Amino acid sequence: MDLSYPSADFPGPPSLTVAVPDGWVRLDQADTVVAAVDPASPQGAATTFLVTVARVVGEQDLDGLVGRQVSVAAEGLGATVERQRREQVAGLDAVWSAFSLPARSDRPVSLFQAQTALLVPRRPRVRDLVTMVATCSADLAPRYGEVFREIFLSLALEV
């Protein structure tokens, strides 16, 4: 038997487009499908945006998947969830989260991080978890918060 990827049996990740502000530049970041950085970021605290896509098989729900992402952020990065809510992105239900990350020895600046995650149906019992993450220094959160929201809402998917 021959197996092919991408195919109807094994669909590739969804094609996506997002609009980042003029002046931002592409960022090569491992494990992301797209990433960008604001070159006007302060030294030591790059303002970044990235998208990851992960295949989900089975009956896992969005809340459980986001809960695991939040646990990983809390344990690995010292993140604290400041708020969460649901709002559609690209016509799909999404969980929006805002985190604060305190300064520490390997990260001398406190950070603000916004995240939006949504599930894209692919075939029965197979979905793709699309996660968008934007990060800036905490003192710039008032400036970038709305920018991050606009980027997240610009997501267009083609499946």
Side-chain angles (χ1 to χ4, degrees):
M1 166 173 54
D2 291 334
L3 301 175
S4 297
Y5 175 84
S7 67
D9 290 327
F10 301 101
S15 296
L16 59 90
T17 303
V18 291
V20 298
D22 289 339
W24 286 42
V25 295
R26 183 190 77 239
L27 176 65
D28 294 320
Q29 180 79 26
D31 300 324
T32 65
V33 294
V34 298
V37 61
D38 182 354
S41 301
Q43 185 72 16
T47 298
T48 60
F49 167 76
L50 59 89
V51 181
T52 63
V53 177
R55 182 65 33 101
V56 177
V57 178
E59 301 306 318
Q60 302 173 67
D61 67 359
L62 183 58
D63 290 322
L65 293 165
V66 170
R68 281 195 287 286
Q69 289 175 328
V70 168
S71 292
V72 168
E75 291 171 17
L77 301 173
T80 301
V81 177
E82 299 296 332
R83 60 191 172 280
Q84 268 189 327
R85 64 183 165 80
R86 290 185 105 81
E87 181 179 346
Q88 286 205 340
V89 174
L92 297 169
D93 188 34
V95 174
W96 294 62
S97 306
F99 301 90
S100 60
L101 294 90
R104 57 187 201 189
S105 61
D106 64 330
R107 183 180 56 239
V109 177
S110 297
L111 300 175
F112 167 75
Q113 190 169 80
Q115 174 183 301
T116 301
L118 55 134
L119 282 169
V120 180
R122 306 302 285 157
R123 63 181 175 85
R125 296 182 34 86
V126 176
R127 293 165 294 163
D128 286 321
L129 178 65
V130 175
T131 305
M132 297 181 285
V133 179
T135 307
C136 66
S137 65
D139 62 329
L140 294 178
R143 172 181 163 195
Y144 281 105
E146 188 57 33
V147 172
F148 294 164
R149 178 177 167 70
E150 289 174 11
I151 295 171
F152 291 169
L153 289 173
S154 77
L155 178 70
L157 295 166
E158 199 174 307
V159 291

